[in-house]
Amino acid sequence: MKILVCITHVPDTTSKIAFTEGNTKFDQTGVQYIIGPYDDYALARAVELKEQTGGSITVLNVGEAETEPTLRKALAIGADDAIRINAFPKDSYFVANQIAQAAKEGNYDLILMGRESIDFNSGVVHSMVGELLSMPSLSPVMTLDIEGSTAKMTREIEGGKEYLEADLPLVLGCQEPIAEWKIPNMRGIMTARTKPLNVVEPTDDTAKTQLSTYEMPPAKGAVKMIDADNVSELVDLLKNEAKVL
């Protein structure tokens, strides 16, 4: 089985976020980058499936040269080779289109990625890839087992879970508890240095959206203490100031 795992190169969740150039550009000063946490779950499950059924894992990232250490980490975790689409990820459609073109050439049985990235949180790339490839697409997938050419999955829905089956090939957006994150060992880190990392140019530069500006959330206000017996003041503040009622 050939598995393609698409990963994002995102700021560590502990990073301090700031913007420059009139709030039109992300300030990368001092920022550490990681594999997107949801993508990490997808990669971990792919490694488990490979151990169970054999096959190969290719990791793919749409990004510029600075994303290569992130790809190397994925190789250290257990992927066999990597593809970097040499382009800045302009928007969801652009990324999905690049993934779809690479997937067509690779003829993969299963395409995994996180349910969303943690930088832009669009959560639509997996469905776009499925549409572009005319494949079923499901998200968020919490469990995944492969029996022959059939995938058996659990998907989270509002108020419960769905138990689904679908024939391969298909595209899945993953989340916990599909697998536990894997930490690369020393052998994996050493072998990752010699695994293939292929850089390919984007098929086109079409993007459907354009960034205007970034905006930080408003600063938290001071805490107001309300006497436990003063219910009317509490209700008034929740209704007219916090506007949650």
Side-chain angles (χ1 to χ4, degrees), residues 1 49 53 109-110 144-153 164-170 172:
M1 180 169 62
L49 290 172
T53 64
D109 301 296
L110 181 62
L144 170 64
D145 292 293
I146 305 296
E147 295 183 8
S149 61
T150 301
K152 295 186 175 183
M153 299 152 287
L164 305 167
E165 292 185 10
D167 292 333
L168 301 177
L170 74 162
L172 302 179

Side-chain angles (χ1 to χ4, degrees), residues 61-213:
N61 170 258
V62 179
E64 297 172 315
E66 64 267 19
T67 71
E68 291 194 5
T70 301
L71 284 166
R72 289 291 177 194
K73 181 180 178 181
L75 292 171
I77 288 171
D80 299 288
D81 62 280
I83 299 171
R84 179 173 69 82
I85 309 296
N86 187 31
F88 180 79
K90 299 176 182 179
D91 71 354
S92 297
Y93 176 80
F94 176 81
V95 171
N97 195 27
Q98 304 309 314
I99 293 171
Q101 295 301 319
K104 286 178 183 177
E105 295 181 10
N107 194 30
Y108 297 98
D109 301 296
L110 181 62
I111 301 174
L112 301 179
M113 61 188 77
R115 74 174 194 186
E116 63 184 3
S117 64
I118 63 164
D119 47 7
F120 290 98
N121 300 92
S122 69
V124 297
V125 171
H126 38 73
S127 58
M128 288 182 172
V129 172
E131 179 67 20
L132 291 167
L133 294 174
S134 299
M135 289 183 187
S137 173
L138 295 168
S139 180
V141 174
M142 302 169 62
T143 68
L144 170 64
D145 292 293
I146 305 296
E147 295 183 8
S149 61
T150 301
K152 295 186 175 183
M153 299 152 287
T154 306
R155 183 172 72 156
E156 185 175 39
I157 58 172
E158 186 175 357
K161 300 176 182 178
E162 283 184 331
Y163 298 92
L164 305 167
E165 292 185 10
D167 292 333
L168 301 177
L170 74 162
V171 183
L172 302 179
C174 305
Q175 71 168 44
E176 74 283 1
I178 195 168
E180 293 187 4
W181 288 336
K182 297 187 181 298
I183 299 173
N185 56 33
M186 184 57 65
R187 180 182 178 185
I189 293 170
M190 296 300 291
T191 57
R193 298 176 181 178
T194 59
K195 290 180 178 179
L197 195 164
N198 301 310
V199 179
V200 300
E201 295 304 315
T203 56
D204 60 54
D205 60 358
T206 302
K208 299 295 185 181
T209 59
Q210 184 175 353
L211 173 69
S212 176
T213 58

